[in-house]
Each structure stands twice: as C-alpha cells, then as structure tokens.
Amino acid sequence: MIIAPSLLAADFGRLQTAVETIEKGGADWLHLDIADGHFVPNITFGPCVVSSLRPHSKLFFDVHLMIEDPEKFFEPFIKAGADGITFHYETVSDPKGALRTLREMGVRTGVALSPDTPADVLYPLLPYTDMVMEMTVYPGFGGQKLIPATLQKTALLRERIKAEGFAVDVQADGGIGPGNLKTVLDAGVNVIVAGSSVFGAPDPAAAIRGMREIESEQ
C-alpha cells in the first residue's frame, strides 16, 4: 500500500510544515490536487506552489490535474517538480497520446476517472500507463464521503490488470479513512489518497501508522 496524503486537506498557511510532518510520519507520496474552476467547481493552486514545496521534501510528488486542457500544463508542472502526473480521461481527446507524451517527458503516468465514467474505457490504455485512478467522490472538494459504487470499478480495473499481466497501480481518491480502508483495499486499490483522515487528524503520523496496521491485518 502506498499512502499519498492530499495537500488539499492541509493548512494552507503552514504548507511546508504540513508536508514535513507527513513525510516524517511515514507517508510515501504527496498528492497534489490541481483544480481550475472549470472541469471541477473549485480552484486550488498551480505550479508555483509545487515548485515552492519541492526543495523541502523528498516525497514523490503525485500531481492530479483536475483541469481542462491538461496537456498545456504537463511541462509547467514537470518543471515545478512533479514526479508523476495524472490527468482525467474526460478532459482529453487522445488519452493514449497524452500518456505517451508524459512518458517521453520522463514522469510517471496516470489516468483518472470521475465517478460516472465506466471502468472499461481505461482497458485499452493499460499498456500505456503506470497507474489508473478512480475518483471515489465527485472531484473538486475535500471532505466528501466515499461513494461505495465506485469501488466496483476499482475491482474491475484490478481484475483486468491482473488478467492482462500489467504492472499498473490502482489509486483511489476521496473519502478514504480508517473506517473504510479495508473495503478499499479489498476492492483492488493499492495507492490510497487520504486527505482529511491524515492532515485533519490531531496526529498525522499516528493516522498513517493506523492505516499501516489496517493493511497488516489484510
């Protein structure tokens, strides 16, 4: 299990401290949700925040582009320090081409689905991506409750990945915490985006340890 706390749930007045805390606490990745106010009804931050945090962390920077025309922003976010970039299937006309472009640019690739998009649209893309991501809430805002039906899609994706023999991670993003983590893992997810359940916890490091303990009981 890879734990990727979402910066969207952190205290924006103390971002450097927040990132240092979860890194020391055992997080694997830092998930950075980029929203443009068009594809999703919220605006978060841009490459300048990523570049400001990059010198202060060795975490893998997992950039999630919830934006229209994401290909225009591949290069700015890579230059800012992104290690991996995930774009939404719904936002590009040629997802295979977008994945190839990212690989040529030397970053880890990901393609995401919103809750209403069926899982099978990603099957042809599995040879071209390092990760598929299912939004388990409607994208744009943190603190939402997980939509249980979305886990049916992660299970289908994991089944297809296993059947085809691909080394592709399955990520889930939205409403994941101690109360439903086991169910999420059982649905084939191995990359966990956790926002409020980590950054909103009194002790983020203890929250991360608690997630590891749940995994060990699987």
Side-chain angles (χ1 to χ4, degrees), residues 49-67:
V49 170
V50 179
S51 62
S52 295
L53 291 173
R54 182 72 280 179
H56 303 289
S57 176
K58 295 181 180 179
L59 289 172
F60 181 96
F61 275 20
D62 176 36
V63 172
H64 175 200
L65 298 180
M66 300 182 290
I67 63 176

Side-chain angles (χ1 to χ4, degrees), residues 27-43:
D28 302 296
W29 294 2
L30 178 67
H31 188 78
L32 300 116
D33 286 304
I34 313 301
D36 63 358
H38 296 282
F39 177 61
V40 295
N42 189 21
I43 297 174

Side-chain angles (χ1 to χ4, degrees), residues 40-152:
V40 295
N42 189 21
I43 297 174
T44 55
F45 49 85
C48 60
V49 170
V50 179
S51 62
S52 295
L53 291 173
R54 182 72 280 179
H56 303 289
S57 176
K58 295 181 180 179
L59 289 172
F60 181 96
F61 275 20
D62 176 36
V63 172
H64 175 200
L65 298 180
M66 300 182 290
I67 63 176
E68 294 180 356
D69 298 320
E71 290 156 295
K72 293 181 180 179
F73 293 91
F74 288 172
E75 185 174 359
F77 278 102
I78 291 169
K79 286 183 176 179
D83 296 299
I85 290 184
T86 298
F87 62 85
H88 271 260
Y89 176 87
E90 301 88 357
T91 63
V92 296
S93 59
D94 180 12
K96 187 184 297 185
L99 290 167
R100 283 174 169 162
T101 296
L102 285 173
R103 282 195 167 172
E104 289 169 1
M105 297 176 83
V107 294
R108 201 169 185 277
T109 63
V111 56
L113 293 180
S114 292
D116 296 332
T117 304
D120 60 6
V121 301
L122 294 189
Y123 294 171
L125 302 179
L126 293 177
Y128 306 97
T129 189
D130 300 305
M131 184 172 71
V132 292
M133 191 250 269
E134 172 63 32
M135 289 299 304
T136 44
V137 300
Y138 285 98
F141 294 92
Q144 301 182 63
K145 291 184 178 180
L146 182 144
I147 302 169
T150 59
L151 296 180
Q152 297 172 16

Side-chain angles (χ1 to χ4, degrees), residues 7-18 199:
L7 192 69
L8 191 61
D11 179 351
F12 272 48
R14 302 174 67 248
L15 287 183
Q16 180 181 336
T17 300
F199 281 117

